Amino acid sequence: MHPPLPENVEAIFQQVRARNAGEDEFHQAVREVLESLAPVLVKYPEFAEQKVIERICEPERQIIFRVPWQDDRGEVHINRGFRVEFNSALGPYKGGLRFHPSVYLGIVKFLGFEQVFKNALTGMPIGGGKGGADFDPKGRSDAEIMRFCQSFMTELHRHLGEHTDVPAGDIGVGGREIGYLFGQYKRLTNRYESGVLTGKGIGWGGSLVRREATGYGAVFFVREMLKVRGDSLGGKTCIVSGSGNVAIYTIEKLQELGAKVIACSDSHGVVVDEQGIDVDLVKQLKEVERRRIADYATLRRGARYLPGGNLWEIPCQVAMPSATQNEINGRDARTLVANGCIAVGEGANMPTTPEGIRVFLEAGIAFGPGKAANAGGVATSALEMQQNASRDSWTFEFTERKLDAIMTDIHASTWATAEEFGSPGNYVVGANITGFIRVAKAMLALGLI
Ligand code: NDP
């Protein structure tokens, strides 16, 4: 059960729920932000007068389209594509594309809504959007992936542009897919418009550190949370869920900073390796050979595979959920706390249920919500756009220093805002309010549009 919402935002939530029936994840994301906003409306009554929250909850534009394609045997398939252009008060719509069978409008809207505040937190000139398709890339050949991406972009391209809407990757969309999408965009428009997509390959407009950015950034955020508590990542035992882009580079940076990652996972099971996960082996299996994480245990002496196992039951000091939404429920959160977990950094979007978040906050552990902790990915996408605009390419070290500075700044601003609004140490409140105020002020300045 949810605690009641403050009176001044309850009616707004009921309206969002009624107007977006059946979109549970979207309701969850909106509710979490509204829980933080009551004191903001008291301090800024103009936001209520101008119905800024109601406007923010309604996407500027929602595009749903047919994606027909043929598999290698000639069979025809029809998928559904989405792009929700949520808010452009601060810049062009910016946010990833997700290819996963679970994708529907409610998922895309929850992701787009969160993206608006996350992008504002980075301090960079980017609005928020998200998209994807209910396409399952698992087991598909390269040629099938290419045909799907080409069909998807054939419709989507008319809505994109470096000053309009700039997608990137997310679950199921990595460097290979961005390449096929960019190729089709270039072909349809006859323009080499590098800034229209981010996550591009190095050598054709991509930025160093973009691939690593979400995971590295999440670790930088956890490092900062521990620093204000007089602690550090050195020697900490960690677990990381998933074994995709975010998980891999979270593991890599945790290990670089002296922590030991003893477990990771995929949607089928959990791998435990008490010697510390061999991140190069995970990269080889997932990025190169596109195999299951179960194979890790067959290749690495001493590692165990737990089919269908629950990662959160493995005792750790730092947990970094980096797979998908609602992967830590209230019971998992209680288990983590009971086992001595002192910090949770969300690499994934909304991986902790509302009950799980309450458990972490009540236990007083350092909890970094995704909006703040995983903002390094989109921030580095904006750095990629900067390099594209100036036809420049920066070194790895320079770009990583910028990412680190951005994450350190997000930590500092969310910390300060939480304190200002009477919830010291609560980064959920800090992130929601900081992001909201930045977007709301810009919306007021731009008039009723
Ligand atoms: P990938 O597709 O690279 O990896 C996803 C990982 O999560 C895989 O190991 C996958 O396992 C697992 N996973 C996906 N869906 C489920 C599920 N329903 N149940 C259990 N495990 C699942 O995606 P990313 O690493 O890019 O994204 C991971 C999370 O991070 C997402 O929440 C995404 O929105 C968020 N994020 C990503 C950013 C980025 O830059 N890529 C930026 C900010 C946030 P399997 O292979 O078995 O499906």
Side-chain angles (χ1 to χ4, degrees), residues 100-398:
H100 193 272
S102 63
V103 167
Y104 79 108
L105 191 57
I107 295 263
V108 181
K109 275 163 75 175
F110 117 64
L111 290 164
F113 184 75
E114 296 243 307
Q115 195 83 46
V116 172
F117 305 105
K118 177 189 313 191
N119 293 5
L121 277 176
T122 67
M124 305 177 92
I126 41 179
K130 200 83 186 189
D134 59 354
F135 167 69
D136 189 356
K138 281 204 191 77
R140 291 293 172 193
S141 70
D142 261 8
E144 289 172 323
I145 298 284
M146 182 179 75
R147 285 197 293 276
F148 181 82
C149 289
Q150 290 179 339
S151 180
F152 185 85
M153 186 52 92
T154 299
E155 172 56 33
L156 189 65
H157 83 281
R158 66 189 90 247
H159 306 289
L160 305 184
E162 63 177 316
H163 300 298
T164 309
D165 186 349
V166 183
D170 191 81
I171 291 176
V173 178
R176 172 181 60 169
E177 291 74 19
I178 294 292
Y180 295 146
L181 291 164
F182 183 69
Q184 185 72 351
Y185 182 86
K186 186 175 82 59
R187 184 184 186 196
L188 289 164
T189 60
N190 194 30
R191 282 200 305 271
Y192 205 105
E193 190 184 335
S194 301
V196 76
L197 281 170
T198 58
K200 298 181 295 295
I202 309 304
W204 49 277
S207 171
L208 289 166
V209 189
R210 176 59 189 92
R211 184 180 53 182
E212 294 82 358
T214 308
Y216 279 20
V219 176
F220 292 148
F221 194 89
V222 170
R223 181 198 64 198
E224 292 302 301
M225 291 200 299
L226 291 176
K227 201 186 281 174
V228 292
R229 293 170 175 239
D231 206 344
S232 75
L233 278 165
K236 294 285 183 299
T237 301
C238 309
I239 58 176
V240 176
S241 66
S243 48
N245 172 267
V246 178
I248 287 173
Y249 294 97
T250 296
I251 296 170
E252 183 165 275
K253 186 52 76 177
L254 282 169
Q255 291 176 340
E256 260 179 58
L257 297 186
K260 186 175 185 188
V261 182
I262 57 163
C264 64
S265 62
D266 66 12
S267 58
H268 294 187
V270 171
V271 156
V272 184
D273 186 349
E274 303 286 351
Q275 319 152 74
I277 295 285
D278 177 348
V279 76
D280 290 331
L281 179 55
V282 180
K283 281 185 193 173
Q284 178 64 26
L285 286 173
K286 302 301 286 191
E287 292 185 333
V288 182
E289 299 175 24
R290 299 181 191 278
R291 288 163 67 178
R292 308 302 308 165
I293 200 67
D295 295 342
Y296 180 97
T298 64
L299 295 165
R300 174 106 160 145
R301 191 193 296 265
R304 287 178 288 135
Y305 178 62
L306 315 173
N310 184 349
L311 178 77
W312 312 118
E313 289 172 2
I314 297 164
C316 68
Q317 292 158 296
V318 175
M320 300 207 49
S322 310
T324 194
Q325 63 276 356
N326 292 327
E327 50 172 319
I328 298 182
N329 60 26
R331 193 168 52 87
D332 298 327
R334 278 186 286 278
T335 307
L336 281 162
V337 171
N339 283 339
C341 181
I342 57 163
V344 174
E346 293 188 332
N349 285 310
M350 210 168 74
T352 313
T353 64
E355 189 192 350
I357 294 174
R358 271 199 300 283
V359 171
F360 290 143
L361 294 178
E362 279 165 22
I365 72 165
F367 175 70
K371 266 186 218 90
N374 72 36
V378 74
T380 309
S381 278
L383 298 179
E384 182 174 332
M385 291 163 74
Q386 282 186 23
Q387 292 167 78
N388 294 150
S390 58
R391 301 193 184 281
D392 199 358
S393 51
W394 305 338
T395 64
F396 194 95
E397 293 70 25
F398 179 78

